[in-house]
Amino acid sequence: MIPPAPSKILVGISLDPDHSIELLSWATRVLAQSNDTIVAIHVRVGEESKKRELIKKKQWQIRQAKAHVIPVLGEFARTCQSKQIHLEARVGFSSGIATALTEEAKSFSADYLLLCGSRNRSN
């Protein structure tokens, strides 16, 4: 019997650690299997205008996002290691979250895209 090909799972995480941890926990416990890859991505949204001012602002925002993403992923390192799941962190910058996640999912050839929506919505 041929084993199934490893899955690629893209997880969009926010700066809310509770939502991020909950989503990554579900991905590692339920969805991911041995040899799968989970990429946790946080997308920073910004406008494209004056380049020099934006470069410094983007660098600060990316450092801030990385400072959030890395500790969140650290909580899953042991679980991923025991289940032989590859875990990566990425920070993206785009004019829109949906655009960035779509482009990242395509470039990564993701089999799954996990997102956490607002719990306070009436719909």
Side-chain angles (χ1 to χ4, degrees):
M1 182 172 173
I2 299 172
S7 294
K8 296 179 179 180
I9 304 163
L10 185 63
V11 181
I13 61 173
S14 69
L15 287 180
D16 182 332
D18 293 334
H19 288 152
S20 300
I21 289 169
E22 182 180 347
L23 198 57
L24 283 167
S25 177
W26 188 85
T28 57
R29 285 184 296 107
V30 178
L31 186 59
Q33 301 297 320
S34 185
N35 294 320
D36 287 353
T37 299
I38 296 175
V39 174
I41 183 167
H42 174 75
V43 178
R44 299 295 299 186
V45 177
E47 298 175 10
E48 296 297 325
S49 61
K50 299 177 186 173
K51 283 198 174 191
R52 285 189 186 211
E53 293 172 20
L54 266 181
I55 290 171
K56 286 187 179 188
K57 185 177 180 182
K58 281 183 185 180
Q59 287 174 342
W60 180 82
Q61 288 176 333
I62 289 172
R63 278 194 296 270
Q64 180 187 17
K66 284 181 181 179
H68 165 73
V69 171
I70 292 169
V72 168
L73 263 63
E75 293 190 27
F76 297 95
R78 186 172 293 147
T79 302
C80 289
Q81 187 175 22
S82 68
K83 288 184 73 176
Q84 297 179 338
I85 298 169
H86 308 284
L87 184 62
E88 298 177 24
R90 294 186 187 173
V91 175
F93 207 97
S94 180
S95 58
I97 294 172
T99 302
L101 291 174
T102 303
E103 289 173 6
E104 190 69 28
K106 285 179 183 178
S107 71
F108 177 61
S109 300
D111 298 301
Y112 301 95
L113 173 60
L114 299 179
L115 305 171
C116 185
S118 172
R119 296 173 188 228
N120 296 329
R121 285 189 174 167
S122 59
N123 294 343

